[in-house]
Amino acid sequence: ITEKENIKAVVSTQSTGGVEDPMITASSKLAVAQKSSYFSEVQRDNIFLLGDMLSDLKMAGCAKHSELLSIGFANNAKDEESYQEHFDAVLGGNPGFDEINEILKKIVAE
């Protein structure tokens, strides 16, 4: 099973009754990504990283890249200040993806 297939399995674990190792969770995704040959073989010019935890920023270190744009989802007000120090942009509350789509449209238009 590949990491991509395992992600699908985690999402559907309620209907399938289980997943195969390695189990990818919020706390294990970095370790799984670091062990994966996928990220060591891929070179990306640009990475668009979305995260709702500061530790999500570490995921960008798994792939070779030239540019990184990180957007943090601060799910509560107490996280916003800390997130603003680390992410390039921060969205508060539960904004959905309309704002993300608008940011992407502006980037593509340039």
Side-chain angles (χ1 to χ4, degrees), residues 37-81:
S37 62
Y38 174 80
F39 290 105
S40 63
E41 297 168 2
V42 172
Q43 167 70 39
R44 298 279 185 229
D45 290 333
N46 305 301
I47 292 180
F48 189 61
L49 185 142
L50 306 176
D52 64 351
M53 299 177 354
L54 290 176
S55 61
D56 290 334
L57 291 165
K58 295 178 183 175
M59 294 297 294
C62 295
K64 298 174 193 144
H65 60 278
S66 302
E67 300 291 331
L68 168 68
L69 175 62
S70 62
I71 299 181
F73 292 92
N75 295 321
N76 55 59
K78 69 179 179 116
D79 290 337
E80 283 191 45
E81 186 176 333

